[in-house]
Amino acid sequence: MNPGELKHLITFERAVLKVDEDNIPVKEYEKIYTCRAKIYNISGKEVILNQGESLELSKRFIIRYTRSVKITNTDRIIYNGETYEIKYINDVKENRTLLEIVGELFV
């Protein structure tokens, strides 16, 4: 892959349980990794949730493989101020050079 194609800046966040001032556990997200990605739009569809319409967008993010952070399905991606839930992670060609990640956004 041409490195110039990895032009979109994305950030991965991981949920962490913390305790607030009232000793109540709350879920917060911490940045764990920032990198450049190639992004493809996969699909968009309208769904009906709780008597209202919503839009579901899917994108494919291609990034360089990283050994410093293990990215999982419980993490999320921040791109252009929007949060994508990770649905699928694949090591492209199983040679630890590229990761393919599919994320979904609900609008």
Side-chain angles (χ1 to χ4, degrees), residues 9-106:
L9 189 64
I10 63 173
T11 300
F12 291 90
E13 292 184 340
R14 181 165 291 156
V16 179
L17 282 178
K18 294 190 175 183
V19 179
D20 66 4
E21 60 273 356
D22 297 325
N23 281 336
I24 298 172
V26 291
K27 181 166 52 170
E28 294 181 2
Y29 285 89
E30 293 182 349
K31 293 180 183 180
I32 58 167
Y33 187 62
T34 299
C35 63
R36 299 267 174 193
K38 182 176 184 179
I39 300 175
Y40 298 97
N41 289 318
I42 298 175
S43 68
K45 60 184 173 183
E46 288 185 16
V47 293
I48 298 176
L49 300 172
N50 297 330
Q51 305 297 335
E53 291 186 17
S54 181
L55 183 64
E56 179 181 307
L57 302 173
S58 295
K59 291 186 186 285
R60 177 175 289 124
F61 300 88
I62 307 293
I63 66 169
R64 289 185 178 156
Y65 186 89
T66 177
R67 289 184 174 93
S68 62
V69 176
K70 173 76 171 145
I71 298 169
T72 66
N73 290 354
T74 58
D75 299 333
R76 66 184 193 178
I77 297 172
I78 307 297
Y79 170 63
N80 277 348
E82 298 178 320
T83 302
Y84 292 82
E85 294 179 24
I86 296 176
K87 297 297 178 187
Y88 171 79
I89 302 172
N90 180 35
D91 181 0
V92 178
K93 297 183 183 178
E94 297 294 326
N95 61 2
R96 294 185 176 174
T97 56
L98 295 173
L99 281 179
E100 171 191 28
I101 303 167
V102 174
E104 287 185 351
L105 169 72
F106 293 96

